[in-house]
Amino acid sequence: MTTLTDPNNATRATPNIPVEKAILHIGSSTFISASPQEVWAALTNTSTWPSWNNFVPRVTINSQPTPDPSPSTSAPDPTPTPAASTSTPTPQSTDATLSPILQKGTKFTLHVCMDSTSTKPQPSTDIHALISECSAPDAETGQGGRIVWTADTEAPGAMPPSLLHPERVHEFTAVEGGTVVRNWEAQNGWLAYVVRWMYQAKLQGYFEMWVADLKKFVEGSNTASA
């Protein structure tokens, strides 16, 4: 069994926020019994998110740099193993001209469910984001994958970075028997103090749920197709 060092990624910086400068830093990690390409495909294909992502069950793609990115491998079929969710389902964007695949330059809105355990309908918290880095894992060279998103400062109603500047990183590393997935976020700005005070513990739990949900979805899809 793979033993994860630094499972909360406390020593890992984001591209523009050093660890020692972060006002808020949270993270999570897991081992998934699947190739990096399979895990990458599930995470970057946002059409699968309603089937596994209880924290962000819906995404709206606002713009893409190209109309039809080609992922390195197909995402698992979201139909066979839908994840249980107590939140009210909301349909995906019906704009068929925009690919659901995240790539460098994608602008998208994460419709965050801040209380995934509630049985009552609840409004989502919308976060406008931009993919600033996107490097798919390479099976031939063994190079891992990495995707980074940050706040879309050009979105309507976006906060200036001086108030809140978040950066989030996912990394995928091939290990014996599968993939180590690491997921962490750093925040700066005056409002980051408020987020840390009010939501740090809850967000840490949701980050751990994020990778657990991804693991369950990818491994469940592989079992169903075996």
Side-chain angles (χ1 to χ4, degrees):
M1 182 176 179
T2 300
T3 301
L4 300 178
T5 59
D6 188 21
N8 291 338
N9 308 303
T11 62
R12 294 173 181 263
T14 62
N16 297 294
I17 305 178
V19 172
E20 65 275 11
K21 298 291 186 180
I23 295 170
L24 174 68
H25 191 290
I26 49 179
S28 59
S29 303
T30 194
F31 168 80
I32 299 180
S33 297
S35 70
Q37 290 73 29
E38 291 170 306
V39 183
W40 173 270
L43 180 73
T44 56
N45 184 351
T46 61
S47 70
T48 71
W49 287 26
S51 298
W52 63 267
N53 196 331
N54 286 295
F55 183 37
V56 187
R58 187 168 67 94
V59 169
T60 298
I61 302 295
N62 300 317
S63 68
Q64 290 280 27
T66 57
D68 186 21
S70 299
S72 58
T73 186
S74 298
D77 183 353
T79 305
T81 55
S85 176
T86 56
S87 59
T88 303
T90 309
Q92 290 287 102
S93 171
T94 57
D95 188 348
T97 65
L98 294 178
S99 168
I101 307 298
L102 299 177
Q103 56 182 310
K104 186 175 181 179
T106 300
K107 293 186 176 184
F108 62 115
T109 301
L110 300 99
H111 304 287
V112 177
C113 179
M114 287 300 292
D115 188 1
S116 62
T117 63
S118 175
T119 58
K120 299 179 181 179
Q122 55 181 305
S124 63
T125 299
D126 291 348
I127 298 175
H128 304 294
L130 165 70
I131 301 295
S132 57
E133 292 184 29
C134 190
S135 177
D138 190 317
E140 293 186 2
T141 65
Q143 181 175 338
R146 177 179 166 99
I147 187 167
V148 180
W149 61 72
T150 186
D152 178 7
T153 57
E154 297 180 349
M159 295 183 185
S162 59
L163 281 181
L164 187 64
H165 175 63
E167 286 188 334
R168 185 162 176 182
V169 181
H170 285 81
E171 286 188 349
F172 308 80
T173 305
V175 296
E176 184 177 357
T179 303
V180 169
V181 178
R182 294 186 179 274
N183 160 51
W184 69 95
E185 180 170 317
Q187 294 185 7
N188 269 346
W190 290 108
L191 286 179
Y193 290 102
V194 178
V195 175
R196 184 179 66 184
W197 176 56
M198 295 184 65
Y199 299 112
Q200 182 170 12
K202 177 175 281 191
L203 287 172
Q204 179 61 43
Y206 283 142
F207 268 53
E208 292 169 3
M209 181 175 70
W210 177 290
V211 294
D213 285 348
L214 180 61
K215 174 183 175 72
K216 182 178 179 181
F217 175 67
V218 174
E219 292 183 348
S221 297
N222 285 350
T223 300
S225 61

